[in-house]
């Protein structure tokens, strides 16, 4: 079956959450949002492209930082309301310069830093 | 720093997306939603508990199916608006009986099934 981004289920803002996962290590890098056009652009260009909710604009990941995400494979979940994006990540995925945005763990009720920024 | 679920950033519906990842294989299993009480219950009980948007009720994963998720570690992202939940998953995570909800891949513009239901 041909894939049509219009068949995905978007929220009230026309967005769908997209989980970026490192295709080699399996590390979950970040979650960001796409609209139908961002899904189409990601598939067409092979460069992972989100929709920035704060800037209300396309966000080609790494366009300014150089920390690009090359698309390896896009997956859709059973409810068609979430995407899993397997990526080849150049450098850190997080704006804090950490490999992953999920660098804070909750241990015994306290927050603990799991990962240092890359240098 | 003590962790307080009230310090997370919730959407207009009071919800935060939670990504469940198999703590052994690294496989991303599903994405569901939590409110502040579901976050607290998950941490208190060690049993991953979402908020069902369709039923508008707490959803203790696996309570009816037996396919429970035991909490291994909860992580918070840099913007505090997404959770990564490392879990010990019993059986399939997906209601279709597949290990993961992300069983549909997009390859060369077509949808392809990557994973069969467990028997």
């Amino acid at each position: 079956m041909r894939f049509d981004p219009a068949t995905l289920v978007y929220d009230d803002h026309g967005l769908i959450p997209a989980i970026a996962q490192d295709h080699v290590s399996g590390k979950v890098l970040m979650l960001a949002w796409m609209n139908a056009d961002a899904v189409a652009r990601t598939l067409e260009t092979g460069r992972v492209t989100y929709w920035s909710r704060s800037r209300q604009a396309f966000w080609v990941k790494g366009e300014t930082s150089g920390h690009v995400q090359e698309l390896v494979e896009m997956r859709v979940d059973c409810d068609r309301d979430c995407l899993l994006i397997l990526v080849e990540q150049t450098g850190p995925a997080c704006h804090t310069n950490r490999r992953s945005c999920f660098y804070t763990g909750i241990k015994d009720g306290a927050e603990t830093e799991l990962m240092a920024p890359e240098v």
Side-chain angles (χ1 to χ4, degrees), chain A:
Chain A
M1 186 169 69
R2 297 295 302 169
F3 173 70
D4 179 356
T7 64
L8 297 175
V9 177
Y10 300 91
D11 70 8
D12 301 345
H13 304 285
L15 300 175
I16 188 169
I19 303 160
Q21 182 178 30
D22 186 306
H23 79 112
V24 177
S25 70
K27 193 183 281 281
V28 174
L29 301 172
M30 57 184 282
L31 180 141
W33 297 79
M34 292 186 180
N35 58 17
D37 282 347
V39 173
R41 287 182 183 216
T42 296
L43 290 169
E44 281 162 22
T45 64
R47 191 61 72 81
V48 180
T49 303
Y50 302 103
W51 179 256
S52 167
R53 295 177 299 171
S54 55
R55 291 188 290 108
Q56 290 287 302
F58 290 108
W59 166 26
V60 182
K61 173 70 181 163
E63 200 171 35
T64 53
S65 66
H67 301 151
V68 297
Q69 292 179 342
E70 281 174 58
L71 176 66
V72 175
E73 188 175 290
M74 185 181 288
R75 295 182 186 171
V76 179
D77 81 342
C78 52
D79 293 330
R80 302 182 75 80
D81 63 0
C82 183
L83 298 172
L84 177 64
I85 317 280
L86 301 181
V87 304
E88 171 72 33
Q89 171 73 51
T90 298
C94 185
H95 73 286
T96 65
N97 236 32
R98 292 173 175 88
R99 184 70 181 167
S100 163
C101 294
F102 297 96
Y103 56 83
T104 304
I106 314 298
K107 298 205 175 169
D108 301 326
E111 297 193 19
T112 175
E113 186 178 305
L114 305 170
M115 217 174 297
E118 294 182 9
V119 288

